[in-house]
Each structure stands twice: as structure tokens, then as C-alpha cells.
Amino acid sequence: MKVTVVGAGAVGATCADNIARKELAEELVLLDIKEGLAEGKALDMMQTAALLGFDTKIIGSSSDYAKTAGSDVVVITSGLPRKPGMTREELIGTNAGIVRGVTENILKHSPNAILIIVSNPMDTMTYLALQASGIPKERVIGMGGALDSARFRCYLSMALNCSPADLNAVVVGGHGDTTMIPLIRFATWNSVPVTKFLSEEQQKKIVADTMVGGATLTKLIGTSAWYAPGAAGASMVEAIVRDEKKLITCSVSLNGEFGQKDICMGVPVILGKKGWEKILDFSLNQEEQAAFNKSADAVRSMNDVLKTL
Ligand SMILES: NC(=O)c1ccc[n+]([C@@H]2O[C@H](COP(=O)([O-])OP(=O)(O)OC[C@H]3O[C@@H](n4cnc5c(N)ncnc54)[C@H](O)[C@@H]3O)[C@@H](O)[C@H]2O)c1
């Protein structure tokens, strides 16, 4: 397997580090537009191999896409991150051009690659990559739900004082502070609904904290977070390269599922060697469906901005 990560910034480098440590690829390419950055980080990571005991060949590249040729999976993290007080949506003007250009360059050298889009606003960037590439929809996958669901499990585990590994909890909808929908009704603690152990007030707080999980970190750190986003991207790479058939919430193109069409949004999908292989479409209750529709309206109006750029 060959994997490329575009963008050797905070998220891209962390994602690459996770991919290397887990030996998800024989060859891993890290590419960035900043001269020397990807080469430097790739070499630094290669020097951890002897200490950590992994056997992944890591190659850095300053915009030389020939080095990415024949990649099976490509993670696109290139683009501006948000600063405190900014929404993900405010990044569209700059990031749309970057994601479009990167997608075109990648596919010239790796026409069969599966693309994982991380750059924000992620649902719209996934929609853009799908339109710009013209490749089958199963090969264009946005990373948002994997991260948001991990944050949801983190806040639940802190409230329940339990291991996050014992929790199942998903966040669907758009990947935005006001558009994501943590489905607490379906969250379980080793198959027992968590709602049995949490007051209404606690549940509301966990949902609210999850929704602003990214903004909370941006405020604390001064830029967008990277450990969990990088690990979330790598977990999707793992599900694909190991053909795990894992159920992970990802932003994918909907064709009537959850009542929406012509849009990329977060829904639970099976990830395997072909990309996303199946959407787990199930009935939401009236309140959840209304929230999903409202979230779709917001994502759609962001997609409309693409036409003006
Ligand atoms: N989907 C998610 O859940 C999620 C989570 C965190 C961050 N993000 C997004 O991921 C992106 C990266 O965040 P970050 O914190 O790593 O930012 P960063 O600034 O640390 O890294 C971005 C890198 O992209 C590079 N870059 C810019 N244009 C490029 C191009 N045309 N080709 C190649 N490389 C290019 C930059 O040189 C930089 O090194 C941001 O858009 C951020 O909002 C998404």
C-alpha cells in the first residue's frame, strides 16, 4: 500500500505519524507547498523508526507530485486552519482553490486513489473534490464524524468516569459548530443507553461541549487542534487499507439517504478497500431529522458559495 498525505502542517504531519507508527503503508509520502517542510518532517519521522520500531518508508516532497504516483489512499489536509473566533466556513475562499488544485494534481499521478478530505469547511471541500475529480463517489470521503464522534465519546467518558473504549456514540450531520448532531439517544455504554446514567442537564452539556469541541481547542491553543484530527484521519486510512469494514461516520455524497440529495454530509458508512461501501441509513426521530435537514440547508448554502468563487 502507498499512502500520501498532502499538507505537512499540524494535522497532516500528525496523521502521517500515526500512519507510519501503525505501519499502514509500505510507502508514505508527505507533500507540502512550503519548500523543505515536508522533507524535513518526513526525515524527522523516519528517525523515530529505530526508536519506535516501525518499518514504513517516509518520503517528503515539496510539491513534486511525481513522488506521490500510484498512491492507493490520499489524505488532503492542505489549507488554512481557523484562528480563535473564526468559523470553519470562513476558510472557504482560500481553501477551495487549494483543495481543487491538489485534487487535480493528485489524480494525474494516482488516478485510482481514494481521497480523504480533511481541509475545512470539510463537507463543502468534499463536495468540491467530488465535483472537480469526477471519480466514483465511493472514493471521496470527508473526515469529520470520526473526530466529532471521538470528542463525543471523550466528553461522555469524562461525565460517566468510564473508558471511552466502552462507549459507542456517533455524531452525524455537517462538520460545523452549529451543524453537527451528536445522537445521544443512540449512545451506549457497553450496550446500555448512556441516557440511563445521565441527567437531562448533563446530556445537554455533553452535546453542547461536543458541538464546540473544535472551537474550545482553537481558543485554548490559538490555532486548530491536530492530535485527534490527525488520529481520526489515520483511523480512516486504517479501515481502508486493512479492508476492515468499520462503521465510521464520514462525509459522503447522499442520494436520498437521510432524506438528502446532491450534498456531502456526515452519515455512518462502512469503510473498506473500495472506499465507503455502504451508508447505514436508519430512521431519525422527528427532532433529529429536523436538525439534520437544518444542517443540510447550512451545508448547501456553503456549497452555493463555490459557484461564486
Ligand atoms: N475535518 C476536520 O475535522 C479538521 C480538523 C482539524 C483541522 N482541519 C482543517 O485541516 C486543515 C489543516 O489544518 P492544520 O492545522 O494542519 O493547518 P497548518 O497550517 O498547520 O497546515 C496546513 C499546511 O497546508 C500547506 N499547504 C497550503 N497550500 C498547499 C498546497 N496548495 N499544496 C500543498 N500544501 C499546501 C501549508 O503549507 C501548511 O503546511 C485546515 O483547513 C483545518 O481547518 C479539519
Side-chain angles (χ1 to χ4, degrees):
M1 280 285 172
K2 177 165 174 173
V3 176
T4 288
V5 178
V6 181
V11 177
T14 309
C15 184
D17 188 33
N18 279 279
I19 291 168
R21 286 177 193 232
K22 289 185 162 193
E23 298 184 325
L24 300 180
E26 278 122 49
E27 196 174 310
L28 172 62
V29 180
L30 187 59
L31 181 145
D32 202 282
I33 199 168
K34 267 188 216 153
E35 200 60 41
L37 182 74
E39 279 101 332
K41 289 202 180 181
L43 186 57
D44 191 11
M45 264 178 237
M46 273 300 274
Q47 291 167 2
T48 69
L51 300 164
L52 301 171
F54 64 76
D55 190 19
T56 307
K57 183 177 170 198
I58 312 168
I59 297 160
S61 165
S62 299
S63 299
D64 178 3
Y65 280 85
K67 289 189 179 158
T68 69
S71 294
D72 299 287
V73 183
V74 177
V75 186
I76 300 180
T77 75
S78 45
L80 289 185
R82 59 180 168 160
K83 295 285 168 223
M86 267 178 116
T87 65
R88 294 173 175 94
E89 288 73 12
E90 285 173 70
L91 302 167
I92 189 168
T94 310
N95 287 358
I98 294 175
V99 170
R100 184 189 296 275
V102 167
T103 301
E104 287 167 359
N105 281 323
I106 280 294
L107 289 171
K108 270 184 216 154
H109 295 87
S110 305
N112 299 318
I114 292 170
L115 307 181
I116 297 177
I117 313 299
V118 177
S119 314
N120 275 316
M122 183 277 296
D123 299 292
T124 297
M125 293 302 104
T126 305
Y127 184 76
L128 168 68
L130 182 63
Q131 307 284 319
S133 66
I135 62 176
K137 61 182 180 178
E138 293 76 14
R139 284 174 36 210
V140 183
I141 314 168
M143 191 290 282
L147 170 64
D148 301 330
S149 302
R151 285 180 173 154
F152 190 19
R153 286 164 70 192
C154 173
Y155 283 116
L156 280 166
S157 74
M158 291 194 287
L160 292 164
N161 195 21
C162 73
S163 163
D166 282 344
L167 295 167
N168 263 305
V170 293
V171 177
V172 296
H175 175 62
D177 296 348
T178 55
T179 59
M180 71 180 76
I181 308 157
L183 291 173
I184 198 150
R185 184 168 70 96
F186 292 102
T188 60
W189 182 2
N190 267 351
S191 78
V192 185
V194 296
T195 49
K196 290 199 180 295
F197 309 105
L198 298 165
S199 67
E200 285 276 328
E201 208 177 307
Q202 281 177 305
Q203 292 178 40
K204 277 196 185 129
K205 182 167 176 0
I206 290 164
V207 166
D209 286 346
T210 301
M211 292 176 76
V212 295
T216 302
L217 292 169
T218 303
K219 200 170 157 202
L220 288 167
I221 305 171
T223 185
S224 172
W226 57 88
Y227 291 112
S235 75
M236 290 168 62
V237 173
E238 184 169 18
I240 294 166
V241 302
R242 299 208 162 129
D243 195 22
E244 287 180 328
K245 315 287 186 206
K246 260 203 171 164
L247 187 64
I248 300 181
T249 306
C250 300
S251 185
V252 298
S253 174
L254 301 183
N255 188 21
E257 296 88 355
F258 293 90
Q260 295 296 333
K261 267 186 178 177
D262 187 31
I263 193 165
C264 292
M265 275 178 77
V267 292
V269 298
I270 300 288
L271 282 191
K273 66 176 181 220
K274 294 185 191 135
W276 67 266
E277 299 185 352
K278 183 184 166 185
I279 296 176
L280 201 77
D281 192 7
F282 58 92
S283 298
L284 298 173
N285 68 21
Q286 218 176 355
E287 194 187 332
E288 291 155 354
Q289 186 63 53
F292 197 89
N293 294 345
K294 199 169 156 219
S295 179
D297 289 344
V299 172
R300 205 164 268 121
S301 57
M302 195 43 47
N303 293 350
D304 286 342
V305 176
L306 290 174
K307 295 177 197 149
T308 67
L309 297 173

